[in-house]
């Protein structure tokens, strides 16, 4: 049976239970307390690209799909480059509202209803089983009316899951992700989208090539 939202793979369900455990207990072997585990701060590296996409699409409402704890949205003021600040991330992006969704974090575990002008999905897909990627991408695009932004890591994570497995369970090259993103996007031709697949260069994370139907920031 092909996995779906109604019937995700057993692997997806098992991993979700592990992520719920990590949100509650942290990652002791990496000295990460619960509040710093999947805190949702990695999107700070993509704030300018996301802001440009939101402005180009005229988005005013946003869903952060797989937001973790979403701690950047609570920073007031929000630190920017070179000592500058913004009142908040939502105001920096020109948004009227932000909704966080993460099935592994109880506060944001309820699946959203309706649609949003834009959806972002940062450092999420590589944590999902490859057999579930198609329905997850279809769901992300289905929430978006105007724009979608993705960041995907194509290298092993530094974190391990409680079962000892690497946290990045679907490590694939940019071309693999491009094929699946484009297939999902074809069903939503009115949605501008942009994805960046991150790669390692000499042990250092670099932003790989941009994929999508929008201009990189």
């Amino acid at each position: 049976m092909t996995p779906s939202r109604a019937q995700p793979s057993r692997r997806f369900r098992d991993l979700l239970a592990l992520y719920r455990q990590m949100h509650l207990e942290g990652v002791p072997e990496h000295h990460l307390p619960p509040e710093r585990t999947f805190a949702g701060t990695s999107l700070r590296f993509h704030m300018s690209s996301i802001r440009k996409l939101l402005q180009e699409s005229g988005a005013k409402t946003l869903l952060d799909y797989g937001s973790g704890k979403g701690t950047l949205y609570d920073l007031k003021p929000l630190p920017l480059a070179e000592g500058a600040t913004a009142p908040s991330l939502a105001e920096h992006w020109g948004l009227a509202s932000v909704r966080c969704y993460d099935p592994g974090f109880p506060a944001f575990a309820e699946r959203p209803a309706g649609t949003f002008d834009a959806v972002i999905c940062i450092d999420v897909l590589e944590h999902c089983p490859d057999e579930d990627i198609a329905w997850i991408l279809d769901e992300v695009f289905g929430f978006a009316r105007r724009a979608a932004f993705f960041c995907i890591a194509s290298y092993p994570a530094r974190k391990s899951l409680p079962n000892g497995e690497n946290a990045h369970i679907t490590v694939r090259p940019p071309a693999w992700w491009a094929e699946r993103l484009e297939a999902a996007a074809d069903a939503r031709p009115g949605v501008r989208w942009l994805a960046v697949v991150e790669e390692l260069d000499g042990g250092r994370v670099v932003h790989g090539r941009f994929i999508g139907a929008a201009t990189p920031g």
Side-chain angles (χ1 to χ4, degrees), residues 19-33:
Y19 281 108
R20 287 171 175 162
Q21 177 183 340
M22 295 170 78
H23 269 291
L24 290 172
E25 300 176 1
V27 187
E29 62 270 29
H30 290 286
H31 307 290
L32 281 176

Side-chain angles (χ1 to χ4, degrees), residues 41-159:
T41 57
S42 60
L43 70 81
R44 70 185 184 275
F45 300 112
H46 310 284
M47 290 195 307
S48 61
S49 294
I50 294 170
R51 186 174 188 236
K52 187 173 187 292
L53 181 61
L54 297 176
Q55 290 174 338
E56 289 176 347
S57 64
K60 294 299 178 184
T61 62
L62 179 136
L63 171 65
D64 189 331
Y65 187 104
S67 63
K69 294 181 171 72
T71 55
L72 281 189
Y73 298 108
D74 296 326
L75 290 182
K76 298 178 182 180
L78 172 74
L80 300 174
E82 299 177 355
T85 61
S88 68
L89 182 54
E91 291 185 66
H92 180 60
W93 282 345
L95 297 171
S97 67
V98 173
R99 170 70 187 274
C100 290
Y101 169 60
D102 194 306
F105 183 50
F108 299 143
E110 183 178 353
R111 186 172 178 269
T115 58
F116 303 79
D117 289 341
V119 181
I120 61 173
C121 185
I122 310 294
D123 297 345
V124 172
L125 296 172
E126 64 269 30
H127 295 267
C128 302
D130 56 5
E131 61 264 37
D132 293 90
I133 294 298
W135 74 257
I136 294 171
L137 284 174
D138 185 65
E139 181 166 271
V140 173
F141 275 100
F143 278 123
R145 290 191 294 264
R146 299 186 180 187
F149 181 92
F150 303 85
C151 176
I152 306 163
S154 65
Y155 52 87
R158 286 180 288 183
K159 291 188 188 74

